[in-house]
């Protein structure tokens, strides 16, 4: 979902429906005003911050996945530090970081202020290290919680907050039947993945 296209009606509808997963994938790309304008994102930092607040308040149990791009042309150290501070403060449940790739023929490929590959790699590494720390802390805090999961393999499942092939998994201490839903209790974590036993 694009952050410019949300409404209070949609938030309420998701909150009231038992058929919609409490999971929102909303690529933000950046948070600094200069970069949002350069990337033509149609939103402001204030709009994004207010929207995240409305989503979390309006949809209990929501997980937000987002993606950011580091090393986009014109991104300064100040812009990047602003992004890191935002990631630390907002603590997204799921987050991916991509290095800007200069694709031939694109508008951005012709822009001034291209970032050297070494610096793009450094920024990407720092952002991912921060998210790994947040993911470890978030996972550790879930110990003892009960989850409804979909069993995909005898000892691998996922919750409604885990998109296939993209997000974390729930590693099962005891095998369960693939294709079925099960209630489990979180017993630990392995960085991103949760470890659980049948409830």
């Amino acid at each position: 979902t694009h952050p410019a296209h949300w409404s209070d009606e949609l938030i309420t509808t998701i909150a009231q429906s038992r058929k919609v997963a409490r999971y929102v994938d909303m690529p933000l790309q950046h948070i600094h005003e200069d970069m949002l304008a350069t990337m033509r994102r149609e939103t402001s930092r204030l709009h994004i911050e207010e929207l995240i607040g409305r989503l979390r308040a309006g949809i209990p149990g929501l997980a937000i996945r987002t993606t950011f791009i580091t090393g986009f042309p014109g991104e300064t150290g100040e812009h990047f530090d602003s992004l890191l501070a935002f990631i630390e403060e907002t603590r997204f449940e799921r987050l991916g970081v991509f290095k800007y790739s200069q694709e031939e023929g694109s508008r951005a490929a012709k822009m001034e202020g291209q970032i050297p590959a070494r610096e793009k790699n450094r920024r990407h590494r720092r952002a991912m290290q921060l998210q790994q720390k947040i993911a470890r802390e978030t996972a550790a805090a879930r110990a003892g919680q009960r989850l409804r999961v979909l069993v995909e393999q005898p000892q691998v499942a996922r919750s409604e907050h885990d998109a296939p092939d993209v997000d974390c998994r729930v590693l099962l201490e005891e095998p369960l039947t693939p294709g079925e839903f099960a209630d489990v209790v979180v017993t630990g974590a392995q960085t991103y993945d949760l470890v659980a036993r049948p409830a």
Side-chain angles (χ1 to χ4, degrees):
T1 63
H2 192 292
H5 303 155
W6 278 88
S7 67
D8 289 337
E9 181 186 11
L10 178 56
I11 293 170
T12 301
T13 302
I14 292 172
Q16 292 176 348
S17 175
R18 295 180 58 204
K19 298 181 182 294
V20 181
R22 287 352 190 211
Y23 178 97
V24 167
D25 188 336
M26 184 171 62
L28 297 177
Q29 312 299 46
H30 216 283
I31 196 57
H32 196 282
E33 295 287 1
D34 294 348
M35 297 310 300
L36 291 171
T38 301
M39 293 175 165
R40 298 182 177 175
R41 291 299 293 164
E42 304 174 38
T43 55
S44 66
R45 178 178 185 136
L46 180 61
H47 172 84
I48 291 168
E49 289 173 336
E50 288 180 346
L51 175 58
I52 290 170
R54 284 176 25 234
L55 285 166
R56 286 182 166 164
I59 307 172
L62 177 70
I64 300 176
R65 156 170 274 288
T66 194
T67 49
F68 292 113
I69 296 175
T70 59
F72 194 83
E75 183 188 54
T76 65
E78 178 190 341
H79 296 151
F80 178 67
D81 288 343
S82 173
L83 176 61
L84 286 183
F86 179 69
I87 292 170
E88 176 80 73
E89 175 187 325
T90 309
R91 300 179 71 82
F92 292 96
E93 289 78 14
R94 306 286 183 261
L95 184 143
V97 180
F98 297 94
K99 292 175 278 190
Y100 165 73
S101 177
Q102 191 173 5
E103 294 185 20
E104 190 176 342
S106 69
R107 179 184 68 87
K110 301 169 189 162
M111 292 172 63
E112 293 182 7
Q114 298 290 329
I115 310 296
R118 186 172 179 177
E119 180 60 18
K120 283 194 280 192
N121 290 336
R122 188 188 73 82
R123 292 179 187 180
H124 176 264
R125 190 168 53 252
R126 282 187 62 201
M128 287 310 301
Q129 285 170 345
L130 172 58
Q131 181 59 21
Q132 284 169 1
K133 177 182 85 74
I134 292 168
R136 277 194 299 272
E137 292 168 358
T138 302
R142 298 196 72 175
Q145 287 185 2
R146 191 179 176 113
L147 292 178
R148 185 105 170 124
V149 297
L150 174 62
V151 182
E152 296 192 319
Q153 298 171 34
Q155 290 191 269
V156 178
R158 62 184 169 91
S159 74
E160 68 178 319
H161 296 158
D162 305 315
D165 304 322
V166 177
D167 293 320
C168 320
R169 302 170 301 166
V170 179
L171 307 177
L172 304 171
E173 293 179 353
E174 299 173 29
L176 295 173
T177 306
E180 293 188 358
F181 286 97
D183 291 317
V184 299
V185 175
V186 178
T187 58
Q190 296 180 358
T191 307
Y192 292 113
D193 296 333
L194 295 176
V195 179
R197 60 171 171 76

